[in-house]
Amino acid sequence: MKFQIKYFAAVLAAVSLFVSCNNDDDSAIVEGTHGDAELFFDNGVAGDALIIGNTYTNSNGESLTINRFNYIISNVVLIREDGTEYIYPKEESYFVINHADELQTVHLEGVAAGDYKKIRFGIGVDQQRYLQGETAQQSFWDLAAANDLTWTWSTGYRFINFEGAFTSTAGTEAKPFQVHQGSNTATDNYREVTLDLPTTARVRENEQPSIHIKTDINVLLDGDTKILLQNNLNGAGTAAAIMGGQNLIDIAANSLKMFTVDHVHNGAGSHHE
């Protein structure tokens, strides 16, 4: 009996050592290899899940019924603990997030194997890319247009398209609103944000990390700078639109605090489909 116990203990130890070694091998970075990664954008409003058609009240005393929330993510960079960077190829680094159509996952292919501790990305389309001209970016322009993220070519992209209806303390009648954030001839409103990852994102040939990013729409109008839709009503007082001026600059600044990383999934396969 003692012999059997010792035998099984030895076998268990050997199996544990084998599994441990295999796990270590799986986690090892093999130079020159690549894998995939994904970013999942979980849209919400001040801690609540975003549900199209629902109404949310902000600290400005305005209640917003949200009908559309689309935006552009670009120029993705993954940053290792030592500060070195993997820059995703620029020509492929422009993505549309469309909440209503459940376009919330960005797939990154052929990422250099590594352990990544931070991520950086742009909100919108940078001037360098835009100035390459329409032909150079026709494919993405068409995608953006199909998701209501363009004006005319001469006026460019909408980086954020945020629409719905609102009521304020000034009255109970709901009025439509539009917040179309983008660059214009007066200002470059493209912004970049860098986020710490709470857990290392491991990119391997057989591991695909999923970085779960929470997006808080509320901060666009109710962030460090408070912007009242009531103050942006048209002359007839029937609708509010923000598409330029100082408000757009303030919204661009507010948007830098719109994103936080909630958690990171490591392992094989897609975690958000």
Side-chain angles (χ1 to χ4, degrees):
M1 180 63 109
K2 288 183 179 179
F3 173 80
Q4 286 181 326
I5 292 173
K6 288 181 180 179
Y7 173 79
F8 285 121
V11 169
L12 181 61
V15 169
S16 298
L17 180 61
F18 177 77
V19 170
S20 176
C21 289
N22 275 353
N23 286 342
D24 288 342
D25 289 343
D26 288 345
S27 297
I29 301 170
V30 179
E31 292 298 327
T33 62
H34 298 79
D36 295 343
E38 66 179 21
L39 316 178
F40 177 74
F41 289 87
D42 184 2
N43 302 310
V45 186
D48 293 326
L50 171 61
I51 300 174
I52 295 297
N54 274 17
T55 300
Y56 306 85
T57 301
N58 61 28
S59 72
N60 299 328
E62 295 184 328
S63 295
L64 282 63
T65 302
I66 299 169
N67 297 329
R68 174 175 289 151
F69 183 56
N70 304 345
Y71 52 100
I72 294 171
I73 294 299
S74 61
N75 297 315
V76 177
V77 177
L78 295 170
I79 304 169
R80 302 176 183 89
E81 191 167 16
D82 64 4
T84 58
E85 299 180 347
Y86 173 77
I87 301 172
Y88 199 68
K90 187 174 182 62
E91 297 298 313
E92 303 168 22
S93 200
Y94 295 85
F95 308 94
V96 164
I97 304 298
N98 182 330
H99 186 84
D101 290 349
E102 298 184 349
L103 295 176
Q104 294 173 250
T105 304
V106 168
H107 293 279
L108 306 175
E109 299 179 349
V111 176
D115 290 336
Y116 295 99
K117 295 294 291 182
K118 295 183 179 184
I119 185 170
R120 184 171 70 245
F121 55 82
I123 307 167
V125 176
D126 55 289
Q127 285 291 299
Q128 180 188 21
R129 179 61 170 162
Y130 176 63
L131 293 174
Q132 288 177 350
E134 186 174 3
T135 302
Q137 53 199 295
Q138 189 67 58
S139 178
F140 181 71
W141 176 266
D142 291 343
L143 175 64
N147 287 275
D148 301 295
L149 286 166
T150 60
W151 285 300
T152 64
W153 175 251
S154 60
T155 46
Y157 293 93
R158 296 170 180 156
F159 301 166
I160 299 171
N161 187 338
F162 177 29
E163 298 181 347
F166 80 101
T167 59
S168 73
T169 55
T172 58
E173 181 186 354
K175 299 172 182 178
F177 76 85
Q178 295 179 318
V179 176
H180 293 172
Q181 164 72 325
S183 292
N184 51 50
T185 54
T187 58
D188 179 2
N189 292 313
Y190 170 80
R191 296 292 184 272
E192 288 188 343
V193 60
T194 301
L195 304 173
D196 291 325
L197 305 185
T199 305
T200 299
R202 299 194 306 267
V203 177
R204 306 289 190 273
E205 285 187 305
N206 59 349
E207 286 192 65
Q208 175 180 280
S210 177
I211 300 172
H212 188 118
I213 299 170
K214 289 199 170 184
T215 307
D216 183 4
I217 308 172
N218 189 61
V219 305
L220 293 175
L221 301 177
D222 194 15
D224 290 341
T225 301
K226 309 295 182 183
I227 299 167
L228 274 71
L229 292 168
Q230 180 68 25
N231 293 344
N232 289 274
L233 286 171
N234 58 21
T238 57
I242 300 174
M243 301 184 187
Q246 184 60 45
N247 276 340
L248 219 57
I249 297 171
D250 292 336
I251 288 171
N254 283 348
S255 72
L256 292 173
K257 295 185 178 179
M258 187 165 67
F259 301 98
T260 56
V261 177
D262 186 68
H263 59 270
V264 177
H265 291 291
N266 283 300
S270 177
H271 302 277
H272 295 285
E273 288 291 358

